[in-house]
Amino acid sequence: MRRIIVEYEKCDGCKNCSVACMQAHRKTPGTVYDLNLTDPENESRNFIYQADDGTYRPVFCRHCDEPECVMSCMSGALKKDADSGLVTYDEKRCASCFMCVMNCPYGVLKPDRVTNTKVIKCDFCSQDGGEPNCVKSCPKGAIHVEEV
Amino acid sequence: MRHVIIGTGAAGITAAAEIRKQDKDAEILMISSDSQVHSRCMLHKYLSHERTAGELDFTEEGFFEKNNISVVNGKAAAIDTEMKTVFLESGDEIAYNRLLIATGADSVIPPVGDLRKASNVFGLRHLSDAQKIDAMAEKAQNILIIGAGFVGLDAAYGLLERRKKVTVVEMATRILPLQLDEHGAKAYQELFEKEGVTFRLGRRVQDAVCGPDGQIHSVELDSGESVPCDMIIVAAGVRPSAGFLENSGIKADRGIEVTSRMETSVKDVYAAGDVTGLSGIWPNAMKQGKTAALNMCGVKQIAGADTEYTDTFCAKNTMNFFGLVTLCLGALIPEEGDEVLTEENKRIYRRAILRDGKVRGILLQGDISNSGIWQYIIKNEINVSGKEKKLFRLTFADFFGVGERGKYVWTF
Ligand SMILES: Cc1cc2nc3c(=O)[nH]c(=O)nc-3n(C[C@H](O)[C@H](O)[C@H](O)COP(=O)(O)OP(=O)(O)OC[C@H]3O[C@@H](n4cnc5c(N)ncnc54)[C@H](O)[C@@H]3O)c2cc1C
Ligand code: SF4
Ligand code: SF4
């Protein structure tokens, strides 16, 4: 399977990846130049946090080998795809219980801000051929995709 | 090798899928008293008519065919562990090499008045319960719910959508007494009340008498008040569904006794899920099912996964009523000497209970974004001394580490 490898030492906190993620998942047409960063509809699936020493820690979904989120899902919405290895989310099946939010050990998941009915989760940009836009947008090479 | 699994709930289905993953050729047969696979956690969506029975199925389409699993509809009535045979109520006999008991739990109807004998009193555990409630809700207008725990409120939530008049009676002085503190409970109580639910808190049903039609039309509370009703839903707790094990030699007390490999006291018989009494929530039932399956297949060690049930922490829950979300983990009530941190504004409420630098419990209401780290912090008793000031702003960045193949590891 493929995973986004994080080299946090290279990250300088520009958050291009988060903006790219918001752009990739926006519901309205348009380019990154007119993306409304303050619209709660636009949410990033990845998170760049500043550590106490001022450096940055990129927190991205691992599409875990043994995904705890899947092991808490009571509707069948979250699944580990046997072929691709990706952990996929089916919004239509989701029952909005948010046990998965509680169960992801890295705190990657969250309910959507607008309706609290959906889970905001990395989909490896399957709509763009499975090439994550965050990776494409990183100017520092702090994240890259690797076959693991 | 013939694996027989009794129960098609969280534990049973997870086990079946795992057995198939481990062994392409084993025969897998499931026995279930359910008319179809369904997730109990979604029953309220059936009551509200948001989902059909079919839409409560949590397995992927074609699960049984794809995995070559056969299902027998029926109720297990007894097990002969010497003959290695399960006897169904229908009289059918099913032989096994390895057996998994994953029969979950059943609602307990307390022996108050005629509650146990009336024809308009139901638990809410199985789809069949929800179907009976749904049928009666066609005519019933006044619905009484006994118990303001998770299941009781799920029932209320579902029936509100149908514009029923709902009264909830609860012994404790607040709703969701096992999940929330006073403050967090109040927020939900107000939302339910705004939608027309009436609560009788700190009260118990003292008597309930059947009319000549076999139904209870009003109950008497310990306050002396009489509450009229057309239907009663009892959500006052569950009991492991292990009654049929009598005389089987399989040890059960409150639930079926199991080792960390989910073995019962009898060779080749395993148990997983709510029936063990170890937990009463979905994630733990899945994990136990998976653990049982690995051991049934003789897998004693496997890379990256546990073959023993060690992740036993189960004081954890999330809820989402009227779009107000809550996460609650660990201790709920502070003990003497505990430190309590709270944070509150119009939108959110947060409370943590700390002792000796460790978080014993946390409650987050209104915003549970990225809150997955809390379970890890609490169950591993991670010391957060010195971080109290930014406690509610901790993220995985505070424990960040990268391991092999790009996996994250917790460092502290
Ligand atoms: C209304 C409701 C809401 C809930 N909400 C949540 C929630 O939001 N989050 C959460 O984590 N948990 C929730 N739970 C709890 C969760 O549903 C259970 O923990 C989980 O279903 C346990 O799985 P299990 O496989 O052990 O048992 P079950 O899912 O109960 O499955 C038991 C299976 O055994 C079958 N069976 C029983 N006896 C026999 C017999 N004698 N012969 C043959 N088959 C038999 C049953 O038909 C069923 O198929 C909820 C429960 C209810 C009732
Ligand atoms: S959401 Fe969390 S648990 Fe699920 S695959 Fe991603 S990192 Fe793993
Ligand atoms: S919120 Fe949706 S995806 Fe997450 S565990 Fe619940 S049903 Fe599954």
Side-chain angles (χ1 to χ4, degrees), chain B residues 9-304:
Chain B
I13 293 288
T14 309
E18 189 62 38
I19 292 174
R20 180 52 77 228
K21 205 165 129 193
Q22 297 300 330
D23 188 343
K24 295 279 160 289
D25 306 315
E27 189 186 347
I28 305 175
L29 188 149
M30 301 187 80
I31 304 169
S32 178
S33 48
D34 288 336
S35 57
Q36 57 150 92
V37 176
H38 63 275
S39 168
R40 269 116 190 116
C41 316
M42 295 198 281
L43 287 176
H44 63 284
K45 290 193 182 275
Y46 178 80
L47 291 182
S48 65
H49 289 183
E50 224 177 301
R51 289 196 187 201
T52 62
E55 286 164 345
L56 303 183
D57 192 340
F58 62 97
T59 60
E60 59 187 311
E61 221 183 297
F63 172 80
F64 293 98
E65 299 77 41
K66 254 190 250 168
N67 290 300
N68 189 20
I69 297 167
S70 37
V71 187
V72 174
N73 264 99
K75 201 165 171 104
I79 299 173
D80 186 325
T81 52
E82 253 152 50
M83 283 168 63
K84 291 192 151 188
T85 301
V86 180
F87 298 89
L88 303 190
E89 265 181 10
S90 63
D92 287 349
E93 299 178 12
I94 294 174
Y96 66 84
N97 297 118
R98 303 252 156 87
L99 176 68
L100 174 63
I101 305 168
T103 47
D106 287 309
S107 317
V108 176
I109 312 277
V112 173
D114 293 330
L115 281 182
R116 285 189 174 171
K117 96 174 190 226
S119 62
N120 63 338
V121 177
F122 309 101
L124 178 60
R125 175 74 194 187
H126 311 296
L127 174 60
S128 55
D129 295 327
Q131 283 165 331
K132 284 180 216 153
I133 293 170
D134 185 56
M136 192 159 265
E138 289 299 319
K139 291 214 191 78
Q141 266 318 315
N142 289 310
I143 296 168
L144 179 83
I145 298 175
I146 302 179
F150 224 146
V151 173
L153 290 187
D154 259 1
Y157 198 61
L159 290 164
L160 274 182
E161 287 285 314
R162 309 270 307 273
R163 316 225 155 271
K164 302 295 170 188
K165 176 148 181 9
V166 179
T167 306
V168 183
V169 181
E170 165 63 50
M171 258 161 32
T173 51
R174 62 168 184 272
I175 68 170
L176 296 158
L178 299 178
Q179 282 85 15
L180 298 178
D181 69 347
E182 200 74 40
H183 190 292
K186 196 89 199 145
Y188 281 116
Q189 187 181 337
E190 278 166 12
L191 288 172
F192 274 99
E193 280 171 347
K194 220 168 86 195
E195 297 298 318
V197 172
T198 310
F199 289 99
R200 290 285 178 269
L201 302 179
R203 290 280 161 245
R204 60 179 83 218
V205 174
Q206 178 168 287
D207 203 11
V209 183
C210 264
D213 58 354
Q215 299 194 352
I216 295 171
H217 296 286
S218 89
V219 301
E220 190 188 304
L221 306 187
D222 55 356
S223 57
E225 182 189 1
S226 129
V227 183
C229 57
D230 310 316
M231 167 162 66
I232 300 175
I233 300 171
V234 181
V238 295
R239 177 185 304 127
S241 186
F244 66 105
L245 295 184
E246 264 177 48
N247 309 322
S248 68
I250 300 168
K251 264 201 206 144
D253 183 12
R254 269 209 57 237
I256 301 179
E257 285 176 26
V258 286
T259 65
S260 62
R261 296 192 180 276
M262 310 319 288
E263 304 147 323
T264 67
S265 59
V266 173
K267 193 171 176 306
D268 293 329
V269 182
Y270 297 73
D274 287 10
V275 75
T276 64
L278 292 175
S279 59
I281 52 171
W282 191 271
N284 295 57
M286 280 186 84
K287 247 195 194 159
Q288 290 169 34
K290 181 170 173 163
T291 307
L294 287 169
N295 286 289
M296 288 166 79
C297 295
V299 181
K300 294 285 175 217
Q301 237 175 350
I302 188 170

Side-chain angles (χ1 to χ4, degrees), chain A residues 69-70 72-78 88-91 93-101 109 117-119, chain B residues 42 51 282 318:
Chain A
C69 58
V70 175
S72 69
C73 182
M74 47 80 142
S75 70
L78 284 164
T88 59
Y89 169 64
D90 181 349
E91 189 179 305
R93 297 193 75 171
C94 174
S96 325
C97 73
F98 301 133
M99 290 299 270
C100 55
V101 172
L109 298 180
T117 59
K118 298 182 286 275
V119 178
Chain B
M42 295 198 281
R51 289 196 187 201
W282 191 271
T318 52

